[in-house]
């Protein structure tokens, strides 16, 4: 048995070492190049000692070889982080949208109430001030019920309160439509991401066939796409043995979004689809049925499956629940205020007497002091925050205001006083025992409280995500200092291996020259 | 924990963002003078402020109502005092009459009484701010009285063939308007001119008779020499009833004026209290915010300095 490996084998060993150090140095360069690449996880060339051979000296090592490229990542954190991203994205998107809703209502708050006049309509006002000004105008009218000036002032205040409700109602619908168009964009983005993930699944499965050759960069790209998807919808992910990832909506029992190489966006497969407003107002999210190579799950879940987190969930919640419709949410709240205002005022106004047909003054007030633009004869049932207006006849003729409670008494202001006192009435339609102002203030409180809580939860979630991100960065992030030291280390090892190679070559030359 | 290159940059961005958020919050609070801009800043305080401000606006309206009522009440008060002078002058004229009075002197008395009658009617038809003061809530100036088909006045007169006032009829009604001066507290804004019956509500009537018919009777009796001592005694007694009634009205309006003044003063006090409450809820605590701003500015400067040094230093600098 020969002593040692022999020069030729030693030459091969040093050549292998050169290649291994070069490979490690290349990986280091790859790390440095990607230090700022989003989603990148640092890599290591996995250097292993060559299998020893038995020589007369015993089991002798044969040097080093680069086994493969290893990715430094935590599958535990990779699974945790999308959930955190979904939560944060949900809170942040909800916060942004609620802020837009708050702006749409536009209730300013100034610590100083104008001391000049209680019925001033000059400054920019919210509904709270506008309602006060309206009822104060009725109060003013009680001091001189036949006064043309006070009646004109009341008309202006009535038009202002109707205009304010119109403005809020329209702003809410505009905001809602704007969010709906965002939902469409988000759904498109979701479908694009699902297709991209399915495509990456396909590439990873092809590269990693047999489990021998990892595809770290492809996995990075897929993880990045998964996290981008998690920003939009909450997802449940599970890696399969073939390296592909299965994605479901929300939980392990949620609707299947990606399975292997199939996604909702591939031909003949499912798609996340937004129901059209004409059939489903406000919109809901449908998951269409699957077909084409993967077991079919529920066909047309028809609005039954909603994401609970992620940007899309926030958008759907704000559109469907916060802003809502005529039967829920803020639209209903402001419609209730408009209907109650019209109902309370109209009912009492119809009991009074106007200044019409002087000197008899025996004409009852019109039964629609407030009405809607389509149906002036009967306000209730059709009036909403968006269409409430002062009856056009009253707006054009102040004598039609029924301030008097008795026929033939133009200077009687008893009906005006009764209407002014409706400010504290709790008998409004669907007001839940609250006055108009209290109902509105409560609605403002609820909206403000929800926004505050959402912002607070977003801050907390941000800290959690930051912590998780730092943990992952600690494992997967690139350190320039570390890579620079590796650079030097591999460079020196390469140089040393080269020196070994040169030395062995010289030794071989020596032996060859011995034979001459 | 393993520290990576991007941790420095990421942490630097996150921390400076937090500090900048604190700075912008403090700057907004200081520059606006308010710690709350929207309901989400402090929902409970926002709601409370809206409700207090709503009450403030109600109080301002009550104060406006009181200002208007006070003006009207002062005129009522002044008119009642003028009317009181009319009644006392009539009494004086009757008291002066003695047995030596000639018909000429009776005629002078009759002429002066007629003047007092006309002045009483003028007072009864007084207007303020486009309304008759003593006509109740009936017609307004400029309306045509459906009964006389002439311009409406609360006190309608008829004349005899000599042009002397023969009758004075009250055309107004007995309805008083109420104006709110505080929550669920109202005050009548007008005094009725003449009330039938014994209820001494009307300014110009008492115990089922009114001043006008009494003055017409005194004037006519004075002219015709029918003003006997018995009649004078009866008239003086009736004038005293009216005098007492007018005194009461004057006293009541003075009381109402005083009450209005007190209520207005209460509103002023409550407005001030409400303003303090709103200020406590909304206004910025300048010292606290300035301290917060200074604190976050100092931390921000330190973060920038450390960030600049840490981010700029790597092993590469020493190779």
């Amino acid at each position: 048995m020969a002593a040692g490996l022999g020069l030729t084998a030693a030459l091969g060993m040093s050549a292998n070492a050169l290649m291994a150090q070069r490979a490690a140095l290349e990986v280091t360069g790859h790390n440095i190049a990607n230090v700022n690449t989003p989603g990148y996880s640092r890599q290591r060339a996995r250097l292993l000692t060559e299998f020893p051979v038995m020589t007369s000296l015993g089991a002798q090592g044969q040097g080093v070889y680069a086994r493969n490229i290893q990715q430094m990542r935590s599958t535990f954190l990779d699974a945790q982080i999308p959930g955190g991203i979904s939560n944060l994205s949900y809170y942040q998107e909800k916060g942004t949208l609620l802020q837009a809703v708050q702006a749409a209502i536009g209730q300013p708050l100034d610590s100083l109430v104008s001391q000049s006049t209680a019925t001033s309509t000059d400054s920019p006002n919210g509904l709270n001030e506008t309602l006060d000004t309206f009822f104060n105008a009725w109060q003013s009218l009680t001091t001189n019920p036949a006064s043309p000036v006070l009646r004109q002032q009341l008309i202006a205040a009535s038009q202002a309160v109707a205009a304010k409700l119109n403005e809020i109602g329209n702003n809410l619908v505009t905001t809602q439509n704007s969010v709906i168009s965002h939902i469409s964009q988000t759904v498109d983005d979701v479908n694009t991401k699902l297709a991209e993930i399915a495509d990456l699944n396909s590439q990873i499965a092809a590269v990693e066939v047999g489990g021998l050759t990892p595809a770290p960069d492809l996995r990075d790209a897929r993880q990045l796409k998964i996290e981008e998807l998690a920003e939009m919808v909450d997802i449940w992910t599970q890696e399969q043995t073939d390296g592909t990832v299965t994605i479901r909506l929300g939980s392990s029992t949620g609707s299947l979004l990606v399975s292997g190489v199939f996604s909702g966006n591939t031909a003949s497969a499912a798609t996340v689809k937004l129901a059209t407003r004409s059939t489903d107002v406000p919109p809901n999210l449908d998951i269409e049925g699957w077909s084409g190579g993967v077991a079919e799950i529920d066909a047309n879940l028809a609005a039954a499956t909603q994401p609970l987190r992620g940007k899309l969930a926030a958008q759907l919640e704000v559109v469907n629940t916060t802003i809502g419709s005529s039967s829920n949410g803020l639209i209903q709240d402001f419609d209730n205020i408009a209907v109650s205002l019209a109902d309370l005022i109209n009912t009492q106004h119809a009991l009074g007497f106007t200044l019409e047909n002087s000197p008899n003054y025996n004409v009852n007030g019109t039964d629609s002091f407030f009405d809607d633009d389509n149906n002036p004869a009967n306000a209730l049932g059709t009036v909403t925050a968006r269409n409430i207006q002062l009856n056009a006849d009253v707006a054009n003729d102040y004598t039609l205001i029924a301030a008097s409670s008795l026929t033939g008494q133009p200077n009687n202001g008893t009906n005006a006083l009764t209407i002014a006192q409706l400010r504290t009435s709790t008998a409004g339609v669907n007001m839940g025992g609250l006055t108009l102002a209290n109902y509105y203030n409560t609605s403002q409180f609820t909206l403000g409280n929800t926004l505050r809580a959402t912002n607070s939860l977003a801050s907390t979630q941000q800290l959690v995500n930051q912590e998780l991100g730092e943990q992952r960065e600690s494992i997967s992030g690139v350190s320039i200092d570390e890579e620079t030291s590796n650079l030097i280390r591999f460079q020196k090892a390469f140089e040393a291996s080269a020196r070994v190679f040169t030395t062995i070559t010289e030794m071989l030359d020596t032996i060859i020259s011995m034979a001459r | 924990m393993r520290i990576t290159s991007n941790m420095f940059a990421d942490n630097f961005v996150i921390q400076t963002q937090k500090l900048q958020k604190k700075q912008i919050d403090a700057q907004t609070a200081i520059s606006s003078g308010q710690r709350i801009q929207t309901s989400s800043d402090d929902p409970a305080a926002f709601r409370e402020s809206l409700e207090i401000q709503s009450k403030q606006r109600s109080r301002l309206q009550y104060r406006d109502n009181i200002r208007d009522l006070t003006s009207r009440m002062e005129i009522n008060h002044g008119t009642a005092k003028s009317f009181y002078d009319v009644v006392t002058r009539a009494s004086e004229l009757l008291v002066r009459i003695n047995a030596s009075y000639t018909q000429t002197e009776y005629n002078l008395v009759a002429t002066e009484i007629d003047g007092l009658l006309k002045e009483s009617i003028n007072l009864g038809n007084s207007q303020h701010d486009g309304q008759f003061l003593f006509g109740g809530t009936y017609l307004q100036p400029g309306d045509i009285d459906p009964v006389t088909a002439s311009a409406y006045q609360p006190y309608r007169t008829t004349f005899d063939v000599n042009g002397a006032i023969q009758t004075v009829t009250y055309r107004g009604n007995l309805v008083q308007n109420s104006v709110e001066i505080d929550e669920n507290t109202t005050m009548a804004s007008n005094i009725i001119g003449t009330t039938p019956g014994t209820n001494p509500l009307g300014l110009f009537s008492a115990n089922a008779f009114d001043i006008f018919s009494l003055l017409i009777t005194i004037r006519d009796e004075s002219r015709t020499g029918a003003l006997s001592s018995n009649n004078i005694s009866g008239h003086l007694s009736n004038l005293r009833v009216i005098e007492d009634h007018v005194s009461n009205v004057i006293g009541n309006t003075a009381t109402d004026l005083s009450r209005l003044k007190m209520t207005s003063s209460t509103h002023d006090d409550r407005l001030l209290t409400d303003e303090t409450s709103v200020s406590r809820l909304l206004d910025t605590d300048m010292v606290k915010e300035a301290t917060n701003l200074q604190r976050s500015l100092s931390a921000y400067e330190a973060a920038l300095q450390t960030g600049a040094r840490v981010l700029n230093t790597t092993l590469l600098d020493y190779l």
Side-chain angles (χ1 to χ4, degrees), chain A residues 374-498:
Chain A
N374 297 319
N375 190 8
N378 180 12
L380 298 179
T382 56
V383 78
T384 66
R386 272 160 288 157
N387 65 21
I388 188 172
Q389 65 174 20
L390 177 64
N391 181 305
D393 293 336
V394 177
N396 292 324
D397 182 359
Y398 65 79
T399 67
L400 297 182
I401 295 169
S404 170
S405 64
L406 294 167
T407 179
Q409 296 187 15
N411 286 315
N412 182 317
T414 307
N415 202 45
L417 179 61
T418 309
I419 292 175
Q421 288 172 331
L422 290 174
R423 172 194 229 141
T424 56
S425 170
T426 55
V429 182
N430 296 329
M431 289 283 104
L434 298 173
T435 65
L436 287 167
N438 282 344
Y439 185 85
Y440 169 68
N441 293 344
T442 302
S443 172
Q444 281 291 290
F445 170 80
T446 307
L447 177 62
N449 213 27
T450 309
L451 177 52
R452 187 181 173 84
T454 303
N455 287 339
S456 171
L457 288 165
S459 298
T460 309
Q461 188 63 49
Q462 201 156 26
L463 289 175
V464 172
N465 287 12
Q466 198 181 324
E467 184 63 32
L468 286 172
E470 275 179 9
Q471 283 181 31
R472 183 166 70 174
E473 177 69 17
S474 176
I475 294 167
S476 302
V478 175
S479 163
I480 295 283
D481 290 345
E482 187 180 315
E483 298 303 330
T484 307
S485 66
N486 283 343
L487 198 67
I488 296 164
R489 191 158 53 147
F490 295 130
Q491 184 193 10
K492 294 295 176 195
F494 185 87
E495 283 172 8
S497 297

Side-chain angles (χ1 to χ4, degrees), chain A residues 15-28 45 47 490 493-494:
Chain A
N16 283 344
L18 280 172
M19 285 189 287
Q21 302 308 328
R22 191 208 66 214
L25 196 134
E26 283 170 359
V27 173
T28 300
L47 301 181
F490 295 130
F494 185 87

Side-chain angles (χ1 to χ4, degrees), chain A residues 214-367:
Chain A
D217 293 327
L218 290 172
R219 281 174 173 268
D220 278 348
R222 185 179 64 188
Q223 182 65 24
L224 190 65
K225 297 289 175 199
I226 287 172
E227 288 171 16
E228 285 171 357
L229 177 66
E231 273 185 35
M232 293 179 275
V233 286
D234 54 339
I235 49 172
W236 174 89
T237 61
Q238 188 177 51
E239 187 169 330
Q240 305 300 315
T241 50
D242 62 356
T244 62
V245 163
T246 298
I247 299 178
R248 289 181 179 275
L249 190 66
S251 70
S252 59
T253 55
S255 299
L256 192 58
L257 298 175
V258 174
S259 178
V261 299
F262 294 99
S263 82
N265 210 30
T266 52
S268 306
T271 183
V272 179
K273 180 189 166 194
L274 188 71
T276 55
R277 276 188 69 88
S278 59
T279 55
D280 194 2
V281 182
N284 278 300
L285 199 67
D286 290 348
I287 309 293
E288 280 193 346
W290 277 62
S291 59
V294 180
E296 191 166 296
I297 61 166
D298 275 341
N300 281 324
L301 288 178
T305 308
Q306 298 283 350
L308 299 173
R309 287 288 181 265
K311 192 191 276 190
L312 194 56
Q315 290 168 346
L316 286 165
E317 186 181 322
V318 168
V319 164
N320 294 338
T321 311
T322 309
I323 300 178
S325 66
S326 57
S327 55
N328 74 320
L330 286 165
I331 288 180
Q332 187 193 33
D333 284 353
F334 284 97
D335 283 353
N336 281 345
I337 291 174
V339 169
S340 288
L341 179 70
D343 181 45
L344 288 170
I345 304 298
N346 290 357
T347 304
Q348 189 58 43
H349 189 256
L351 299 175
F353 293 88
T354 71
L355 289 183
E356 278 182 290
N357 299 332
S358 167
N360 298 318
Y361 301 120
N362 59 358
V363 178
N364 268 125
T366 168
D367 62 357

Side-chain angles (χ1 to χ4, degrees), chain A residues 34-37 42 44 99 102 107-119 128-130 132-133 135-137 139-147 355 358-361 406 408-414 417 420-421 423-424 434 437-438 440-442 444-452 455 463 466-467 469-471 473-485 487-488, chain B residues 1-8 10-11 14-15 18 32-34 36-47 49-69 72 128-132 136-146 152 173-186 189 271 275 278-279 282-283 313-316 319:
Chain A
N34 285 289
V35 64
N36 292 324
T37 306
R42 71 192 165 103
R44 283 282 170 268
Q99 227 163 356
Q102 202 174 45
Q107 175 59 57
L109 189 60
D110 195 324
S111 59
L112 285 178
V113 167
S114 170
Q115 298 280 319
S116 56
T117 168
T119 51
N128 189 273
E129 296 89 330
T130 318
D132 286 341
T133 305
F135 284 112
N136 281 346
Q139 283 277 2
S140 283
L141 192 60
T142 64
T143 63
N144 193 348
S147 163
L355 289 183
S358 167
N360 298 318
Y361 301 120
L406 294 167
Q409 296 187 15
N411 286 315
N412 182 317
T414 307
L417 179 61
Q421 288 172 331
R423 172 194 229 141
T424 56
L434 298 173
N438 282 344
Y440 169 68
N441 293 344
T442 302
Q444 281 291 290
F445 170 80
T446 307
L447 177 62
N449 213 27
T450 309
L451 177 52
R452 187 181 173 84
N455 287 339
L463 289 175
Q466 198 181 324
E467 184 63 32
E470 275 179 9
Q471 283 181 31
E473 177 69 17
S474 176
I475 294 167
S476 302
V478 175
S479 163
I480 295 283
D481 290 345
E482 187 180 315
E483 298 303 330
T484 307
S485 66
L487 198 67
I488 296 164
Chain B
M1 189 186 207
R2 181 175 166 272
I3 304 301
T4 67
S5 300
N6 282 337
M7 277 183 179
F8 292 106
D10 291 346
N11 196 38
I14 290 168
Q15 299 307 331
K18 281 183 183 171
S32 69
Q34 284 185 205
I36 299 174
Q37 312 295 329
T38 61
S39 63
S40 55
D41 292 337
D42 187 341
F46 190 88
R47 179 186 175 169
S49 302
L50 284 182
E51 287 178 358
I52 293 173
Q53 292 194 331
S54 199
K55 280 187 181 165
Q56 278 183 291
R57 278 186 284 275
S58 290
R59 284 196 194 291
L60 286 168
Q61 181 59 45
Y62 293 141
R63 215 172 58 171
D64 284 355
N65 288 358
I66 288 171
R67 194 183 56 219
D68 191 85
L69 264 182
R72 186 177 301 258
H128 170 68
D129 200 14
Q131 289 174 292
F132 289 113
T137 57
Y138 195 43
L139 304 181
Q140 53 184 342
D143 281 342
I144 301 298
D145 190 327
Y152 165 76
N173 65 20
L174 310 179
V175 181
Q176 283 188 300
N177 262 336
S178 289
V179 173
E180 217 166 26
I181 57 170
D182 204 345
E183 198 171 328
N184 299 323
T185 307
T186 57
S189 63
L271 278 168
E275 205 168 298
V278 172
S279 171
L282 298 188
D283 287 355
T313 311
T314 70
L315 180 59
L316 289 169
L319 294 176

